[in-house]
Amino acid sequence: MTYELEIQIEELRAELRNAVDGAERSQIEAELEVAQAELAVAIAELDGLAEAEPPF
């Protein structure tokens, strides 16, 4: 799962480098932030620092 997220992040970074429209840049930046957050959560779950299941 983390590999796919890492690939997605690299693709978004490439898109961001090539984006010229301000609205497009903002959207890509938002998608990049979400992907980076998802990767951080996935890594924490793999390291046992976060629980994959909700506490209830």
Side-chain angles (χ1 to χ4, degrees), residues 9-30:
I9 289 169
E10 289 306 313
E11 289 174 353
L12 288 168
R13 286 179 178 157
E15 286 182 37
L16 189 58
R17 282 191 297 272
N18 296 321
V20 291
D21 181 53
E24 182 183 14
R25 287 187 65 80
S26 295
Q27 182 176 352
I28 294 169
E29 288 171 344

Side-chain angles (χ1 to χ4, degrees), residues 1 3-4 6 8 11-12 14 17 19-20 26 28-30 32-33 37 39 43-44 46-49 51 55-56:
M1 178 176 170
Y3 179 74
E4 290 85 7
E6 290 171 356
Q8 181 183 8
E11 289 174 353
L12 288 168
R17 282 191 297 272
V20 291
S26 295
I28 294 169
E29 288 171 344
L32 182 57
E33 282 185 37
L39 179 60
I43 290 172
L46 288 174
D47 289 343
L49 300 175
E51 293 185 27
F56 48 87

